[in-house]
Amino acid sequence: MKAVHFGAGNIGRGFVGLLLSNAGYEVVFADVAEALIDALANSESYAVNEVGDDPRTTVVRGYSALNSAKQAEELTAAIASADIVTTAVGAHILKFVAPAIAAGIAARPSGAAKVAVMACENAINGTDILKGEVEEAYQGDDLADRALFANTAVDRIVPAQAPDAGLDVTVENYFEWAIETPPFDGNVPDIPGVTWVEDLEPYIERKLFTVNTGHATAAWFGYAAGIEKISDALLDSSVSAKVADALADTKSLIVAKHGIDETVQSAYVSKILKRFANPFLPDTTLRVGRGPLRKLSRHDRFISPASQLAERGMSCDGLLAAIGAGLRFDTPEDPEAVELQRLLGELSPEDAVAKITGLDPDHPLYPAVLEVFAQRQA
């Protein structure tokens, strides 16, 4: 069995690649980072160190690596013979890897089993995004006969690594990889650790609106308080209260929209907060807080749940406070933060809301978000 995985970074090696390797797949890592690919190509193994309540180390072997910018023919051949293609590159990068995936699918032998394509990104229905890009790049009318596309929800905290870590990766013990079953027509692959679900949306939104919303909230308020580590930020009563407020909002949405029992969601929130406070994960507020433009966009972890709450006439004050903290995330070390501050300095509040959040003026959330922007720009 073979799997081609785009994105040989920490998440690729420490989560998706690890589970596929453990499931018996020959993993082919594809990336444009030349030094990283060279290091993987010239190594026989790397270690994944899980830290937390049950620390363990797993050594990954039997993989190969391709430079997707320089080894297009080899990559096409790998996809042509693969059973699974996965990505962990960032949703905004999917359009760049789609042509290579399309070429590999087109090169598959006639009559070969469908290759399963799954985007493992922090985005709602990321595989649908990837599928659209592959369809645009695909030459032919038989894509549906050659490939299936399944949405996934992934969750594992992979912090910034030590400078001398090399290929080894430190991750938390906890992980969740949920994959929708309908595209497989009852023939799902055997990947231990995967949660197979009929309806993925509750899993995607529960994860995105709890883990990602809470993580960014802790980062932005923690950074503003001068706190370096996420785990230390959760020890600050003011920061932890702000995180609790935001997650109380998203909990109310998850319960109302998906019918998840309130006690079950409360337990999930408590587990997430415990994960954030893990002192063995050396994650920083600067790293987790970066990318505020993406995180404040229309369908991401703040505006999406807040807008859905507003549409239901429900409170979202905790999320609005977090949005304000995101607007104040000002660091020269993150290009998106620099661009955000430029936009806030040059645009009117109305234009800034439209540009950054994509909210329409007639949306019920718009007045509250406009007020947050106006307060930041005053």
Side-chain angles (χ1 to χ4, degrees), residues 177-198:
W177 187 4
I179 305 175
E180 62 179 352
T181 58
F184 290 91
D185 291 327
N187 188 29
V188 300
D190 182 15
I191 308 175
V194 164
T195 301
W196 297 98
V197 298
E198 187 74 18

Side-chain angles (χ1 to χ4, degrees), residues 75-140:
L75 182 56
T76 295
I79 296 172
S81 60
D83 302 282
I84 289 175
V85 173
T86 53
T87 73
V89 295
H92 62 296
I93 301 296
L94 292 175
K95 61 184 177 182
F96 299 112
V97 304
I101 295 174
I105 294 172
R108 294 178 69 79
S110 179
K114 293 182 181 180
V115 61
V117 181
M118 298 176 286
C120 306
E121 313 291 349
N122 279 328
I124 295 176
N125 294 333
T127 303
D128 287 345
I129 299 172
L130 177 59
K131 181 182 180 182
E133 299 291 347
V134 171
E135 287 174 338
E136 284 197 18
Y138 191 76
Q139 302 295 316

Side-chain angles (χ1 to χ4, degrees), residues 38 47 82-83 96 119 136 318-319 362 371:
D38 287 347
D83 302 282
F96 299 112
E136 284 197 18
L319 288 170
D362 62 2
E371 182 178 351

